[in-house]
Amino acid sequence: MSEPAHDLPVSPAVEQAVELARRGVVTHLTINGERVAAIVPESVLDALRAAEDAEDIAEADAAMEEPGESIPWEQVKTELGL
């Protein structure tokens, strides 16, 4: 999850949703009946980040196990123009 995040002060309109999040409840925000966002407990966000990290680690481990020659980092940088 590398998207930018924003902190906003809680307005009276969302105070109840924030209180629910503190108790572990996910609250969907809607516009014209369409779910457009959610206020989630921090623990849910932590779990999503951990799952994403685990997936990245598994992909890196799988890549390291692929057969073939290792390519030196200096060569990669040169090929990418870095």
Side-chain angles (χ1 to χ4, degrees):
M1 293 188 145
S2 58
E3 302 85 30
H6 300 279
D7 293 334
L8 299 173
V10 176
S11 69
V14 297
E15 189 171 354
Q16 182 179 6
V18 171
E19 287 305 317
L20 289 169
R22 285 183 176 155
R23 290 186 268 148
V25 177
V26 174
T27 302
H28 294 101
L29 305 179
T30 62
I31 296 176
N32 299 323
E34 178 188 357
R35 289 180 175 177
V36 295
I39 296 177
V40 299
E42 195 68 26
S43 61
V44 171
L45 188 57
D46 291 342
L48 288 171
R49 287 178 175 147
E52 185 178 62
D53 289 347
E55 183 179 352
D56 291 344
I57 290 167
E59 289 175 1
D61 288 346
M64 293 296 289
E65 293 174 4
E66 289 180 1
E69 260 185 67
S70 292
I71 302 170
W73 176 234
E74 292 303 320
Q75 179 182 339
V76 173
K77 289 193 307 186
T78 300
E79 290 176 6
L80 295 175
L82 302 176

